[in-house]
Amino acid sequence: MKLLRDVDRRWVELVASTAAPWCTPAPPRATSPDSAVGRIPHRQADALERPLREAIEELGLPAIGDEAIFLWNILFDPREILDVVNTVGLSEKDAAARFHES
């Protein structure tokens, strides 16, 4: 789980420190015929594969494949991170911890 926590913390830092110029407020996404996993950039999916696999194994859960990436993407949506950091007033470190605990 340490690797996944490190990845989570770094992602929150990147989103919050760059003010995520590529992340603009948007209404909730409508259902798409494309799979959610298919919308995740390949580099991001590749980077998450090992940390998620190791965390799942450490927790003794059955392998869930692409669903793990889908769930991570839901929890670590940049708009949600910015809302928590900017609106709730949590530090990047505290926000990463809260998202990870989700």
Side-chain angles (χ1 to χ4, degrees):
M1 292 276 275
K2 181 181 179 334
L3 179 58
L4 182 58
R5 282 191 181 105
D6 291 345
V7 169
D8 297 345
R9 185 174 25 261
R10 182 65 181 137
W11 178 249
V12 171
E13 289 171 358
L14 285 170
V15 169
S17 68
T18 62
W22 38 266
C23 176
T24 57
R29 192 180 332 198
T31 303
S32 169
D34 299 329
S35 74
V37 173
R39 292 189 301 266
I40 299 171
H42 290 289
R43 289 182 301 186
Q44 183 179 358
D46 289 347
L48 288 169
E49 188 276 330
R50 181 175 152 222
L52 289 169
R53 179 178 34 80
E54 288 179 4
I56 289 167
E57 289 171 359
E58 185 177 323
L59 292 169
L61 300 172
I64 60 173
D66 287 345
E67 290 178 35
I69 295 169
F70 175 72
L71 294 171
W72 186 93
N73 196 51
I74 291 170
L75 292 172
F76 288 89
D77 182 295
R79 290 174 290 189
E80 301 300 332
I81 292 169
L82 291 175
D83 282 348
V84 168
V85 171
N86 296 328
T87 305
V88 178
L90 293 177
S91 69
E92 294 168 16
K93 181 180 178 180
D94 289 340
R98 292 273 177 93
F99 279 98
H100 188 77
E101 291 169 359
S102 300

